[in-house]
Amino acid sequence: MKFRVYVSFKEGVLDPEAEAIKKTLDTCGFTEIRKLSRGKFFDIDIKDKCKNKEDIVKKISDEVLSNPIIENFKIEKL
Amino acid sequence: MKFRVYVSFKEGVLDPEAEAIKKTLDTCGFTEIRKLSRGKFFDIDIKDKCKNKEDIVKKISDEVLSNPIIENFKIEKL
Amino acid sequence: MKTKITENLIKSHNLSKDEYKLILKILKREPNLLELGIFSVMWSEHCSYKSTKKWLKQLPTKAEWVICGPGENAGIIDIGDNDAIVFKMESHNHPSFIEPYQGAATGVGGILRDIFTMGARPIANINSLRFGDPKNSKTKHLLNGVVSGIGDYGNCIGVPTVGGECFFHKSYNHNILVNAMTVGLVKKEKIFYSSAKGIGFPIIYVGGKTGRDGIHGATMASAEFDEKNKDKRPQVQVGDPFKEKLLLEACLELMSSDAIVAIQDMGAAGLTSSSFEMASKGNCGIELELDKVPQRETKMEPYEIMLSETQERMLMIINPNFKEKTAKVFKKWGLEFSEIGKITDTGIMKIYFKGELKATLPIKPLADAAPEYDRPRTKTLKKKEKTLKDFKTINLKQALIKIMSSPNQSSKEWVFNQYDRSVMGDTVADSQKSDSAIIRIHNTNKAVAITCDCNPLYCNSDPYRGALLAVTETWRNLCASGAMPMAITDNLNFGNPEKREIMFEIVESIKGISEACKKLKYPVVSGNVSLYNETEGKSIYPTPVIGGVGLIKNYKNFGRINLKKNKTIFLIGKTYGHMNQSVYEKEIMEVERGKPPKVDFKEEIKNGLFIRKLIEKNLLEGCHDISDGGLVVCLSEMVINSNIGMEIKVPKTSLSFEEWLFSEDQSRYVIVPKNNEEIEYLASIENISINKLGKAGGKKLIIKNCLEIAIKDLIDINNKWFYDYLS
Amino acid sequence: MAKKPLISIIIFPGSNCDRDLIVAIKKTLNVETNIIWHNEKIIPKSDIIFIPGGFSYGDYLRAGILATKSPAIKEVIRWSKKGVRVIGICNGFQILTECKLLPGTLTKNINPSFLCKDIYLKLNKNNKLIKNISKEKLKLPIAHSQGCFYCEEEQLKLLQDNNQIAFQYCDVNGNINKDNNPNGSLLNIAGVTNLKQNILGMMPHPERAIDLQGLSDGKFFFEVLKQL
Ligand SMILES: Nc1ncnc2c1ncn2[C@@H]1O[C@H](COP(=O)(O)OP(=O)(O)O)[C@@H](O)[C@H]1O
Ligand SMILES: [Mg+2]
């Protein structure tokens, strides 16, 4: 079974990378952008025979894929 | 108007970071995972008054956000 | 919506009842929340040094070559020809434990700013790291995060990270140490200070926009914030090395004109301490308009703006004639800037927000009244320790293998390969090639040598002697690189000073540093104190890290950890067989016991000067000082580095093989002369203890009647641990 | 070049090997470098245009991409089409692939952390741009985290057939194999040129290896530029 985990920055956390991308886009003429933010996603395929798939994905997201101090995550079934 | 751009690796392109994560998960006992892949997403808010919003997002995705040699992108309206 | 100042609020600001009484006395009224916040950070341990000030004053800080000692953003020494070296070490221990990558990265960012604030271009970084037991579940994650955080920040900004230490011990399980040191270069007449001047002159803010980063957790928990703004939780500081690079270049460019009158980075306690300290040093007043502070987040309160610890920000006082020039430079570098206030002659800090006066604080009284404690202390209660001699003997080769493959003695290649060591093109030797890292002074033949050191086992057993030994070890490292040792910075990492035993450790350590510095004419020019490194009542080992800086006259003549085929190997200095607190006892016998070794300063100075002279005259092929692990570890490192073997004979002695090979007696070096007779002659006239050990060559390290090991095996053993641990 | 060459260097916000390069050029060729700020719209006719190493725009998003949006890059493209020599080192190489002046791309090192060490480079003596370097091998430092050269198979074949592969990582004896591939690059590629062989990108840093003990092969790289 497949899941997608979205990891993004918590509200208020500085994201220098998004800031730099936005600024570059502004200066090269893409001035139509009001806001740009950024995140990662992970597609995880869990073996069918295994139980509590969702719990596992949650655990992985919390412990490995995201950094709970600065990031949030959201899980989606694919 | 808001768009989300997904950038992911093309089939067959090696992603050492995803591999490293998979390995970490294996060694800490999450052996239930068959496959793990990884991508980035960008949330872009385009000013309402502007025309051809989708074209702009497409252009940005193609020229800046993704590396066409190794990556694909997909645009979603939010 | 005036917040009532309750007892709880005072407590959550880490202010004692007496301190609060003092606030009432100074203000002659109750403070408001903003004012309370400002008092609390200004009187925090971090800003006021209230537990250590009394003792730090005793450090020797003067020499003819000292241009600026402690008290400014960094210390400065004169290296001749109008050049000066600016350096300091700073800790980021707690943030790195919470978020290792960002904590370590912003630690590097912070110390870099301290250096370029003074007008210097940073030319090298080093760092001193302490982690818990590798078996501890968190250690791997912390090690990974800290090393990549340090690397990424320095690499991106383009300052080479050329050396450091990385040491594991269970006393750091819950409190790791991340101490970062930066060395910068400045022309003597282009040094900038932080003391405010110029009544009416504008105060300019430049750099990252202010967010709610790193605002003191306890304070944020206070009633008002909790209920009204649940989402305004304090945030971890995130580093932006790209912005720091722009800030660095912009500041240095502006400093080449006469625009800047005074400048101060916004470090811990952000806008509060920077503005306050500038005004306080310059004996003037200051007015700030907080609406003008560039803000990253919405609805920020004055309290948050004043206490935010957002990184990559600077505060400067500008000569009004240069306003345009200033704007031009910052625009060129794409930096946000704003005039946020002015200097006044009132001696008072006034803070306005949306047209309203929000705080009025008398600067001088607040600074002068900053608490200074003479905290009670008692000698650590430990069993009476004396030198113990009953050590276990095992197969010597097995012992060497175990030591060379132990986490602390393993090659740190995994660590330093992540650091860009060659950027700026002046890295003559990183700390792998020589006992200290050697950086050429750009466009000259001079070089600075940089090293840092501290042996926590020594310090735990005897804080006085341990700290003293940390100083002498850096001094010896510099001599072994061929440098004249000039000055040190220190980073005093300890537990809770309100505990008597910890206060005892602190005071003893400072005394030990003072003693060594006086004896070696090696003053302290800057430093940092990090206290409360303890969790659930368990404190770290006392860890006064010393960063030493020395001068090399000709960069081509420096001490290399090197061998040359068929050349003779000599030992300089006396071996007494001191085994207690050694790597051997720790790794092989698994005990920490007894006292650390002693230093005879006469011997130390004599040997150090002798070694330096040999290197300056280019009489050596190789040189290495003997430290952790003793003679055999020193020899092994020379073999590994040069990929050349050696055959050594243990001289006739009353010592056992173990003592001869593994003891950690001080003031010793191994040298490989170009010409034996010359060295032996020079040693004899200077009355230096010198012993022929054997010859370099072959594919093995052979110590006759003791052990034999192939170079290849030695290299594999030495490299293995880190890669196994991290993969 | 009979008279002194005009060498330009483009500096982006975040470049950090610009000074090293300027100094190296001065030391080896005795030429002052013409400095071009990233937002300048005109680059004077130069013999060589350099794009230095460092972290343009912090290497944010991915190394080199944001710099390709600078006005000065348009000029680089224009001049390169006219045959002017363009050399990108490290971040400069990444910028050149991102603006498609060079084939392929530079992705994360196979071991994804930053890697700084001294390596050996084998030279392709059939490559016009570098063939006159008076050495078989160069010892130079590398320092990057996105240096793994990748391109599609047909492209790789073209690179080989047209002698576009200028440098490959090798061991101290000049052998090219997996053990001395520091970052996972295809065929150990450390530097490539375009088809016309007037544009070169390379990951190693010759400018850091001019006059240091045991690390001075960079001067052979610069000295050959005199002969172009
Ligand atoms: N242990 C110490 N030894 C010597 N000087 C010290 C020590 N601790 C702090 N100092 C000096 O006190 C001053 C304030 O230090 P700090 O608060 O760390 O400065 P900053 O805010 O610029 O980082 C500096 O001049 C520093 O060098
Ligand atoms: Mg400072």
Side-chain angles (χ1 to χ4, degrees):
Chain A
M1 190 184 248
K2 286 181 186 164
F3 296 86
R4 177 166 284 186
V5 181
Y6 296 90
V7 177
S8 51
F9 286 106
K10 287 186 180 171
E11 194 59 38
V13 172
L14 173 70
D15 181 5
E17 198 155 330
E19 197 187 307
I21 298 168
K22 168 86 167 64
K23 225 164 152 178
T24 308
L25 291 173
D26 279 348
T27 55
C28 60
F30 295 105
T31 48
E32 307 87 348
I33 301 174
R34 196 184 289 135
K35 214 184 137 196
L36 182 144
S37 59
R38 195 180 61 105
K40 300 179 270 193
F41 66 86
F42 299 88
D43 288 343
I44 303 176
D45 190 359
I46 303 263
K47 288 177 188 158
D48 294 327
K49 62 167 204 289
C50 116
K51 277 176 272 172
N52 336 329
K53 295 195 187 60
E54 262 157 87
D55 292 347
I56 292 175
V57 176
K58 211 164 150 187
K59 207 162 169 276
I60 294 174
S61 305
D62 190 41
E63 290 178 13
V64 181
L65 302 180
S66 77
N67 177 352
I69 297 179
I70 51 177
E71 291 168 334
N72 290 321
F73 66 88
K74 224 184 79 192
I75 298 171
E76 194 182 281
K77 241 188 221 165
L78 289 188
Chain B
M1 190 183 251
K2 287 182 186 163
F3 297 84
R4 177 167 285 185
V5 181
Y6 296 88
V7 178
S8 50
F9 285 102
K10 285 186 182 170
E11 202 50 44
V13 173
L14 199 66
D15 179 7
E17 269 168 296
E19 256 176 49
I21 296 170
K22 174 82 168 61
K23 218 163 130 189
T24 309
L25 290 173
D26 281 348
T27 54
C28 41
F30 295 106
T31 47
E32 307 86 349
I33 302 172
R34 197 183 288 134
K35 217 186 130 197
L36 183 142
S37 60
R38 201 178 58 106
K40 299 181 267 194
F41 66 85
F42 300 88
D43 287 343
I44 302 177
D45 189 1
I46 303 266
K47 287 177 188 158
D48 295 327
K49 64 168 200 293
C50 116
K51 277 177 272 169
N52 337 329
K53 295 195 187 60
E54 300 206 58
D55 292 347
I56 292 174
V57 176
K58 213 165 148 186
K59 206 162 167 318
I60 293 174
S61 305
D62 188 42
E63 290 180 14
V64 181
L65 301 180
S66 76
N67 178 351
I69 300 184
I70 51 170
E71 293 168 334
N72 290 320
F73 67 88
K74 222 184 78 191
I75 297 171
E76 192 183 283
K77 242 187 218 167
L78 288 187
Chain C
M1 54 163 261
K2 197 165 169 262
T3 314
K4 193 160 162 32
I5 306 295
T6 60
E7 243 172 70
N8 257 339
L9 200 56
I10 295 165
K11 213 173 135 203
S12 72
H13 278 79
N14 276 320
L15 288 161
S16 71
K17 281 190 184 138
D18 287 340
E19 286 167 352
Y20 186 68
K21 273 190 206 144
L22 199 55
I23 293 176
L24 295 178
K25 210 175 125 198
I26 292 171
L27 292 182
K28 301 184 186 77
R29 62 176 166 85
E30 257 195 20
N32 60 33
L33 180 62
L34 172 60
E35 290 165 339
L36 187 74
I38 292 175
F39 269 102
S40 106
V41 296
M42 289 311 298
W43 287 3
S44 69
E45 191 63 59
H46 191 101
C47 289
S48 72
Y49 292 89
K50 55 189 167 193
S51 304
T52 52
K53 209 183 324 181
K54 172 178 161 65
W55 304 102
L56 292 175
K57 282 179 195 155
Q58 301 182 2
L59 290 169
T61 60
K62 295 204 171 77
E64 306 99 77
W65 55 90
V66 174
I67 296 175
C68 173
E72 275 287 341
N73 284 301
I76 309 183
I77 54 172
D78 189 340
I79 57 161
D81 311 309
N82 212 20
D83 293 321
I85 289 291
V86 182
F87 66 100
K88 180 170 185 272
M89 196 184 299
E90 190 147 85
S91 62
H92 231 205
N93 303 338
H94 190 60
S96 302
F97 187 74
I98 296 175
E99 212 309 284
Y101 181 89
Q102 295 296 348
T106 51
V108 173
I111 189 61
L112 280 162
R113 281 195 297 287
D114 271 337
I115 301 308
F116 70 79
T117 302
M118 303 203 74
R121 178 171 286 281
I123 57 171
N125 287 327
I126 65 172
N127 57 76
S128 175
L129 310 178
R130 301 287 180 288
F131 296 100
D133 187 335
K135 290 193 210 82
N136 186 283
S137 61
K138 283 197 120 177
T139 300
K140 196 192 285 190
H141 164 69
L142 292 168
L143 173 65
N144 250 318
V146 165
V147 170
S148 55
I150 289 177
D152 285 357
Y153 205 100
N155 299 346
C156 182
I157 196 166
V159 175
T161 304
V162 291
E165 305 181 89
C166 178
F167 180 90
F168 301 87
H169 188 279
K170 64 177 192 299
S171 89
Y172 305 101
N173 276 0
H174 301 286
N175 296 87
I176 62 170
L177 302 183
V178 176
N179 293 179
M181 170 170 165
T182 298
V183 177
L185 175 67
V186 66
K187 285 286 170 206
K188 261 164 80 178
E189 76 278 3
K190 274 292 173 188
I191 297 171
F192 284 78
Y193 294 101
S194 58
S195 168
K197 286 192 276 286
I199 306 306
F201 281 18
I203 299 166
I204 306 286
Y205 168 116
V206 58
K209 288 188 192 173
T210 299
R212 294 188 176 89
D213 315 316
I215 299 172
H216 195 257
T219 6
M220 288 302 291
S222 65
E224 193 193 5
F225 287 103
D226 224 20
E227 270 131 56
K228 276 202 350 224
N229 324 296
K230 280 222 165 65
D231 55 331
K232 285 191 188 172
R233 272 162 303 168
Q235 304 284 10
V236 165
Q237 306 157 28
V238 173
D240 184 352
F242 172 51
K243 184 150 286 155
E244 179 113 327
K245 169 73 174 166
L246 302 177
L247 201 54
L248 161 68
E249 297 302 337
C251 286
L252 292 184
E253 184 171 328
L254 196 56
M255 283 163 167
S256 66
S257 74
D258 294 325
I260 299 174
V261 175
I263 176 166
Q264 168 76 31
D265 64 302
M266 285 186 242
L271 188 51
T272 296
S273 75
S274 53
S275 57
F276 210 95
E277 277 169 18
M278 284 175 98
S280 158
K281 280 184 188 151
N283 276 320
C284 46
I286 195 165
E287 273 179 32
L288 297 176
E289 281 179 81
L290 297 187
D291 320 76
K292 294 197 177 155
V293 172
Q295 290 159 46
R296 189 175 84 236
E297 298 182 66
T298 52
K299 300 209 187 102
M300 288 190 67
E301 305 276 342
Y303 182 95
E304 296 172 307
I305 297 172
M306 286 305 287
L307 268 60
S308 158
E309 294 193 347
T310 297
Q311 302 290 298
E312 291 94 19
R313 301 180 300 164
M314 287 279 186
L315 205 58
M316 46 183 83
I317 296 161
I318 292 289
N319 179 332
N321 299 334
F322 287 83
K323 268 196 191 180
E324 249 172 63
K325 162 89 188 169
T326 304
K328 206 175 131 204
V329 170
F330 292 149
K331 274 189 196 141
K332 171 183 167 190
W333 291 100
L335 287 166
E336 222 92 40
F337 65 98
S338 170
E339 183 177 330
I340 64 163
K342 62 171 191 273
I343 296 299
T344 65
D345 61 359
T346 58
I348 291 174
M349 171 181 247
K350 287 188 172 181
I351 298 173
Y352 294 90
F353 186 62
K354 298 196 169 134
E356 267 179 58
L357 182 61
K358 292 287 188 186
T360 312
L361 295 166
I363 289 168
K364 198 86 178 117
L366 198 159
D368 288 347
E372 180 177 330
Y373 297 128
D374 184 357
R375 295 196 190 275
R377 53 193 193 283
T378 16
K379 193 170 161 89
T380 325
L381 287 173
K382 265 196 214 139
K383 42 185 167 6
K384 249 230 167 307
E385 287 196 304
K386 48 178 185 283
T387 309
L388 300 163
K389 282 217 151 207
D390 55 320
F391 51 84
K392 188 165 91 184
T393 47
I394 65 162
N395 177 301
L396 292 168
K397 181 173 171 182
Q398 289 314 316
L400 179 65
I401 289 175
K402 187 151 188 226
I403 287 174
M404 293 304 286
S405 61
S406 68
N408 289 336
Q409 247 52 53
S410 280
S411 158
K412 305 295 185 302
E413 184 186 86
W414 178 87
V415 177
F416 62 75
N417 272 2
Q418 295 187 52
Y419 301 153
D420 190 338
R421 307 181 304 287
S422 50
V423 65
M424 296 186 90
D426 286 316
T427 305
V428 175
D430 60 29
S431 62
Q432 260 29 67
K433 297 200 184 98
S434 182
D435 280 307
S436 26
I438 301 170
I439 307 295
R440 178 171 56 187
I441 301 301
H442 196 63
N443 260 330
T444 74
N445 281 331
K446 287 184 294 189
V448 277
I450 310 162
T451 181
C452 63
D453 217 282
C454 177
N455 183 328
L457 302 189
Y458 291 179
C459 293
N460 185 51
S461 145
D462 181 341
Y464 174 87
R465 199 184 291 169
L468 178 145
L469 289 172
V471 177
T472 51
E473 170 64 18
T474 64
W475 194 85
R476 208 173 301 134
N477 284 161
L478 296 173
C479 291
S481 287
M484 181 177 80
M486 295 191 77
I488 66 165
T489 180
D490 64 357
N491 204 333
L492 307 177
N493 305 279
F494 292 90
N496 180 353
E498 293 158 48
K499 289 191 181 161
R500 291 167 160 264
E501 317 81 70
I502 302 289
M503 202 55 220
F504 174 80
E505 291 176 353
I506 297 172
V507 173
E508 287 296 297
S509 297
I510 293 175
K511 287 183 178 166
I513 294 172
S514 300
E515 173 67 10
C517 289
K518 276 181 203 145
K519 287 270 164 58
L520 298 169
K521 295 200 179 60
Y522 188 38
V524 182
V525 297
S526 61
N528 185 250
V529 178
S530 169
L531 303 179
Y532 299 97
N533 291 291
E534 89 175 45
T535 302
E536 284 164 11
K538 284 199 117 170
S539 163
I540 59 163
Y541 275 10
T543 318
V545 177
I546 306 298
V549 171
L551 180 66
I552 294 177
K553 285 184 205 151
N554 180 352
Y555 76 90
K556 288 174 185 148
N557 295 339
F558 67 93
R560 298 167 179 80
I561 303 177
N562 192 30
L563 294 171
K564 185 152 186 185
K565 243 195 233 156
N566 298 324
K567 292 284 177 187
T568 310
I569 299 162
F570 289 89
L571 168 66
I572 300 289
K574 294 187 188 124
T575 305
Y576 303 96
H578 187 102
M579 295 292 272
N580 286 174
Q581 299 297 345
S582 68
V583 173
Y584 184 89
E585 291 201 341
K586 171 82 183 144
E587 296 295 336
I588 307 300
M589 299 167 63
E590 294 174 16
V591 292
E592 294 175 23
R593 58 172 197 176
K595 288 266 191 187
K598 280 192 183 140
V599 175
D600 172 348
F601 277 99
K602 256 171 87 186
E603 183 87 359
E604 183 73 62
I605 293 169
K606 195 173 70 177
N607 292 356
L609 296 184
F610 178 68
I611 293 289
R612 191 178 87 227
K613 199 155 61 183
L614 300 185
I615 297 170
E616 276 179 354
K617 290 189 176 159
N618 198 16
L619 302 177
L620 298 183
E621 296 288 354
C623 173
H624 192 11
D625 81 306
I626 300 178
S627 62
D628 305 359
L631 174 67
V632 67
V633 168
C634 170
L635 295 174
S636 300
E637 287 168 352
M638 295 180 90
V639 166
I640 290 171
N641 253 18
S642 59
N643 207 8
I644 293 173
M646 61 168 74
E647 193 172 322
I648 297 295
K649 225 175 99 191
V650 175
K652 280 215 173 61
T653 148
S654 59
L655 300 176
S656 68
F657 284 145
E658 284 82 358
E659 289 169 317
W660 177 257
L661 293 176
F662 293 102
S663 69
E664 299 187 2
D665 303 298
Q666 302 290 295
S667 320
R668 297 186 300 159
Y669 303 80
V670 169
I671 59 169
V672 186
K674 291 190 169 164
N675 178 323
N676 294 351
E677 287 77 48
E678 191 177 12
I679 301 298
E680 282 170 311
Y681 171 71
L682 288 172
S684 73
I685 53 175
E686 307 221 8
N687 197 16
I688 300 282
S689 159
I690 183 166
N691 269 291
K692 201 177 276 184
L693 293 176
K695 239 183 199 171
K699 293 266 167 246
K700 282 181 182 171
L701 165 66
I702 301 172
I703 298 174
K704 279 214 187 130
N705 302 321
C706 292
L707 60 91
E708 245 188 75
I709 183 166
I711 304 175
K712 202 185 145 293
D713 295 342
L714 201 51
I715 292 176
D716 287 348
I717 287 158
N718 194 226
N719 273 335
K720 205 166 134 36
W721 187 82
F722 268 88
Y723 291 97
D724 284 355
Y725 184 61
L726 290 148
S727 71
Chain D
M1 280 174 230
K3 59 177 184 2
K4 282 199 171 182
L6 182 65
I7 298 182
S8 296
I9 175 174
I10 304 176
I11 303 183
F12 299 94
S15 296
N16 64 34
C17 303
D18 43 330
R19 185 198 73 177
D20 306 357
L21 188 55
I22 293 166
V23 170
I25 290 169
K26 173 82 188 161
K27 279 185 182 168
T28 53
L29 302 175
N30 195 23
V31 172
E32 302 295 337
T33 309
N34 176 40
I35 292 165
I36 308 287
W37 189 234
H38 67 108
N39 57 8
E40 286 179 39
K41 295 201 172 67
I42 290 173
I43 302 180
K45 183 168 170 27
S46 313
D47 296 293
I48 306 174
I49 300 173
F50 269 104
I51 307 184
F55 284 71
S56 58
Y57 300 90
D59 271 4
Y60 294 155
L61 188 54
R62 58 180 192 273
I65 177 65
L66 299 181
T68 64
K69 306 297 154 196
S70 305
I73 284 293
K74 290 207 182 82
E75 275 287 276
V76 174
I77 296 174
R78 186 173 73 89
W79 283 119
S80 71
K81 301 257 141 73
K82 294 188 175 174
V84 169
R85 291 187 176 84
V86 179
I87 299 175
I89 297 171
C90 198
N91 195 232
F93 187 10
Q94 294 160 337
I95 293 170
L96 289 173
T97 59
E98 283 291 354
C99 62
K100 303 192 176 62
L101 284 177
L102 287 175
T105 186
L106 294 148
T107 66
K108 267 263 176 226
N109 294 352
I110 186 138
N111 173 350
S113 36
F114 191 93
L115 180 63
C116 175
K117 63 189 269 194
D118 297 340
I119 50 82
Y120 289 93
L121 279 188
K122 179 152 181 139
L123 316 184
N124 178 354
K125 294 288 180 175
N126 293 317
N127 182 290
K128 260 189 356 209
L129 203 69
I130 63 144
K131 68 174 182 213
N132 288 327
I133 294 179
S134 58
K135 279 249 200 165
E136 294 297 319
K137 282 188 328 277
L138 299 176
K139 182 184 174 194
L140 297 176
I142 55 168
H144 58 249
S145 66
Q146 292 178 50
C148 172
F149 183 85
Y150 175 83
C151 65
E152 266 143 35
E153 240 170 83
E154 308 92 84
Q155 179 66 62
L156 191 62
K157 179 103 194 357
L158 288 174
L159 293 182
Q160 286 177 290
D161 293 347
N162 298 313
N163 280 313
Q164 285 174 254
I165 300 171
F167 300 116
Q168 285 167 290
Y169 301 105
C170 66
D171 67 12
V172 63
N173 300 313
N175 302 310
I176 296 166
N177 57 44
K178 249 180 125 185
D179 292 340
N180 40 60
N181 186 341
N183 53 23
S185 292
L186 292 175
L187 298 177
N188 284 27
I189 289 175
V192 296
T193 56
N194 61 337
L195 187 60
K196 273 170 61 187
Q197 304 191 3
N198 67 317
I199 306 173
L200 169 71
M202 63 194 291
M203 289 313 294
H205 288 278
E207 79 281 13
R208 299 185 189 178
I210 301 301
D211 54 1
L212 293 168
Q213 212 228 358
L215 204 61
S216 56
D217 282 356
K219 63 177 184 285
F220 298 105
F221 174 83
F222 288 101
E223 276 163 4
V224 82
L225 301 176
K226 257 188 260 182
Q227 305 166 26
L228 292 177

